[in-house]
Amino acid sequence: MKYMDWYKTEETLYTNDGNKIKVLCLDSQDNDEILDEWAMHFRENYRSLDDLDFDRHGTGKTREEFLENDVFPDKK
């Protein structure tokens, strides 16, 4: 997981009950291979490809189209 080197600590926050939370930022570099690896890992932790295919079944959309239009509709 080469993208792990891209994570940089941005700040430390505390929950209402005093638990410490590190906020990380992904300082991506101009490397599509590593960025694709990060995106795949992130997506698979959010929703498995089997679940994604089940949900998009019958829509006629590719995985990319379904993710962009139905799962993450706001590109911001």
Side-chain angles (χ1 to χ4, degrees), residues 46-63 66-67 70-71:
Y46 181 76
R47 179 181 282 175
S48 73
L49 291 179
D50 288 341
D51 288 345
L52 179 64
D53 289 341
F54 178 82
D55 291 344
R56 73 180 180 93
H57 181 76
T59 66
K61 296 178 182 178
T62 65
R63 287 176 178 164
F66 187 77
L67 285 169
D70 298 85
V71 178

Side-chain angles (χ1 to χ4, degrees), residues 17-51:
D17 54 354
N19 291 317
K20 190 176 182 180
I21 300 171
K22 274 190 191 178
V23 178
L24 302 176
C25 141
L26 184 69
D27 184 20
S28 63
Q29 308 298 315
D30 189 18
N31 185 318
D32 288 344
E33 180 183 335
I34 295 174
L35 192 57
D36 287 347
E37 177 190 24
W38 170 82
M40 176 71 78
H41 185 253
F42 180 81
R43 187 182 72 225
E44 287 177 347
N45 279 291
Y46 181 76
R47 179 181 282 175
S48 73
L49 291 179
D50 288 341
D51 288 345

